[in-house]
Amino acid sequence: DTEVTQTPKHLVMGMTNKKSLKCEQHMGHRAMYWYKQKAKKPPELMFVYSYEKLSINESVPSRFSPECPNSSLLNLHLHALQPEDSALYLCASSQLPGTNTQYFGPGTRLTVL
Amino acid sequence: GDSVTQMEGPVTLSEEAFLTINCTYTATGYPSLFWYVQYPGEGLQLLLKATKADDKGSNKGFEATYRKETTSFHLEKGSVQVSDSAVYFCALRPQGGKLIFGQGTELSVKP
């Protein structure tokens, strides 16, 4: 089983709202990732968690705040977003950091009004 | 730095036509190579992969061979179906490094 799940599937929020995206995997993977994808573009890496610790932040604005409560869960907390943050947010996981195949979830389509 | 170049789309084919999507890469060392597919409104799915030179990845009738001498990983399918309409991303992962994507190629298959 190579399933990564994400909730919600769709999210609409105002610029003053606080919301969270959730990602879960039960494959025992120790690396988890957040990507942002704009329409018809490749995904852009945002954050990498390695053994539940943040190992890479690709200079993402502080209005995006990741959290890894345990080895199976990854959250992305959103606050004071801008309309240009509207995108598909993809979570991925891999067995180990820096190696192996990354498996992606179905994504959360975020619209910021 | 490491990079991936894919043929530009959109590519439009008739059902049962032969498909080739070109992918070339620049990398030091021995990266792993991947093809991901993204169907409309969905996330990325791993289509196939190859981890060393001359490896052939295959899945659902798609094939790609890791060619180190030409630094290529072209995707092929002998007979496409309407259901293959999607965006295809070639990607590489250097050892210990991040996943690097090509720009994606949109495929449209007409009945």
Side-chain angles (χ1 to χ4, degrees), chain A residues 6 21 33-47 58-61 63-64 76 78 81-92 102 104 107-112, chain B residues 38 44 89 101:
Chain A
Q6 290 186 243
L21 310 185
Y33 312 79
W34 280 115
Y35 287 84
K36 173 183 178 180
Q37 186 184 27
K38 290 286 206 177
K40 299 191 183 293
K41 296 292 187 184
E44 299 172 4
L45 182 64
M46 301 173 71
F47 302 104
E58 292 285 341
S59 302
V60 179
R63 56 186 185 268
F64 294 91
L76 185 63
L78 313 172
L81 295 193
Q82 303 297 309
E84 60 265 28
D85 296 322
S86 298
L88 181 68
Y89 288 84
L90 294 163
C91 174
Q102 288 187 25
F104 286 80
T108 293
R109 188 160 301 281
L110 174 68
T111 302
V112 182
Chain B
Q38 187 170 32
L44 269 69
F89 290 99
F101 289 94

Side-chain angles (χ1 to χ4, degrees), chain B residues 30-47:
Chain B
Y30 301 91
S32 296
L33 301 174
F34 306 88
W35 277 101
Y36 286 89
V37 58
Q38 187 170 32
Y39 298 103
E42 298 186 10
L44 269 69
Q45 296 179 25
L46 177 68
L47 183 58

Side-chain angles (χ1 to χ4, degrees), chain B residues 49-63:
Chain B
K49 68 177 182 181
T51 57
K52 61 182 188 295
D54 300 325
D55 266 2
K56 178 186 281 188
S58 61
N59 186 25
K60 300 181 183 180
F62 291 89
E63 292 183 341

Side-chain angles (χ1 to χ4, degrees), chain B residues 44-83:
Chain B
L44 269 69
Q45 296 179 25
L46 177 68
L47 183 58
L48 53 84
K49 68 177 182 181
T51 57
K52 61 182 188 295
D54 300 325
D55 266 2
K56 178 186 281 188
S58 61
N59 186 25
K60 300 181 183 180
F62 291 89
E63 292 183 341
T65 300
Y66 189 140
R67 301 280 188 205
K68 192 153 180 68
E69 63 277 11
T70 54
T71 61
S72 64
F73 193 54
H74 304 321
L75 182 68
E76 296 182 337
K77 186 176 186 183
S79 176
V80 292
Q81 306 300 312
V82 173
S83 57

